[in-house]
């Protein structure tokens, strides 16, 4: 039986791209007993949460989206949002894959 403070080792999943911790509802990193357990869990859940392990790197959904846009270009909707402020008009749009926005000043 263990009592008091006991130091134990565990595995936590971090994104190789940005360093974010894999979390679910609580915002706390999940602790696994082994790397194999963490890989199995991530592979079983990855379709629903967007994290992926390719055998070498772990990437969060945001880093995967950024990598996709870097390789293939951003996917912007045709419709732009126009804002008119005093003397300047701007058009803006947001990539539907990675969420980056682009703004063009017209006048």
């Amino acid at each position: 039986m263990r009592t008091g403070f006991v130091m134990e080792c565990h595995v936590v999943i971090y994104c190789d791209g940005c360093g974010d911790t894999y979390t679910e509802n609580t915002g706390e990193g999940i602790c696994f007993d082994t790397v194999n357990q963490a890989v199995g869990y991530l592979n079983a859940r990855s379709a629903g949460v967007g994290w992926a392990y390719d055998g070498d790197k772990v990437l969060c959904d945001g880093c995967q989206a950024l990598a996709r846009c870097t390789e293939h270009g951003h996917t912007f909707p045709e419709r732009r949002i126009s804002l008119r402020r005093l003397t300047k008009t701007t058009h803006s749009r947001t990539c539907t894959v990675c969420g980056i926005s682009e703004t063009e000043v017209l006048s």
Side-chain angles (χ1 to χ4, degrees):
M1 172 169 66
R2 295 181 183 162
T3 60
F5 296 101
V6 178
M7 180 185 244
E8 295 183 1
C9 294
H10 60 269
V11 175
V12 177
I13 303 170
Y14 291 93
C15 176
D16 284 314
C18 65
D20 280 354
T21 307
Y22 177 81
T23 62
E24 288 188 355
N25 298 333
T26 63
E28 295 288 325
I30 299 172
C31 298
F32 299 94
D33 294 329
T34 65
V35 171
N36 287 338
Q37 182 187 28
V39 168
Y41 185 85
L42 189 61
N43 285 337
R45 302 266 305 158
S46 64
V49 295
W51 283 61
Y53 175 64
D54 65 4
D56 180 39
K57 291 185 177 185
V58 176
L59 292 177
C60 68
D61 52 350
C63 288
Q64 288 184 76
L66 183 60
R68 187 236 170 248
C69 288
T70 300
E71 187 174 327
H72 300 288
H74 294 288
T75 304
F76 290 109
E78 292 300 318
R79 186 174 176 178
R80 296 178 181 212
I81 298 169
S82 297
L83 293 174
R84 299 183 205 294
R85 293 186 183 156
L86 298 176
T87 60
K88 293 186 180 181
T89 300
T90 61
H91 287 296
S92 64
R93 57 188 183 166
T94 302
C95 176
T96 57
V97 176
C98 71
I100 194 169
S101 63
E102 174 183 88
T103 302
E104 176 185 13
V105 177
L106 299 176
S107 57

